[in-house]
Amino acid sequence: MLETGVEGESKEDAWVEFLETGAKARGEFHCVECGYGVIVQTRLPTCPMCAGRVWEQSTWSRLGRL
């Protein structure tokens, strides 16, 4: 049995979706390379800090309450 600290959830169930620059998105995202955060309502940009092109959605977003 795989342990993840959450009862009833295996490591296969716990995955994170990554989005690339240009993908349609809405919410708060962080650059996978440097951690820079952006809030977008249309498409994900190239990271202005490191030119990274892969983003992870934040687990908490101000836009989630809209």
Side-chain angles (χ1 to χ4, degrees), residues 30-53:
H30 290 93
C31 175
V32 171
E33 295 293 322
C34 71
Y36 184 81
V38 295
I39 296 175
V40 297
Q41 293 185 4
T42 55
R43 293 186 184 273
L44 287 166
T46 298
C47 179
M49 295 299 286
C50 73
R53 301 181 50 84

Side-chain angles (χ1 to χ4, degrees), residues 4 13 21-24 32 37 42 62:
T4 61
D13 294 334
T21 294
K24 289 183 180 180
V32 171
T42 55
R62 289 176 227 140

Side-chain angles (χ1 to χ4, degrees), residues 5-65:
V6 177
E7 195 171 312
E9 182 179 298
S10 69
K11 286 186 180 179
E12 289 85 20
D13 294 334
W15 59 276
V16 176
E17 180 179 4
F18 296 101
L19 298 170
E20 292 187 27
T21 294
K24 289 183 180 180
R26 179 182 171 110
E28 185 174 339
F29 294 82
H30 290 93
C31 175
V32 171
E33 295 293 322
C34 71
Y36 184 81
V38 295
I39 296 175
V40 297
Q41 293 185 4
T42 55
R43 293 186 184 273
L44 287 166
T46 298
C47 179
M49 295 299 286
C50 73
R53 301 181 50 84
V54 181
W55 297 90
E56 177 181 1
Q57 188 161 21
S58 176
T59 56
W60 180 86
S61 174
R62 289 176 227 140
L63 296 177
R65 293 191 234 166

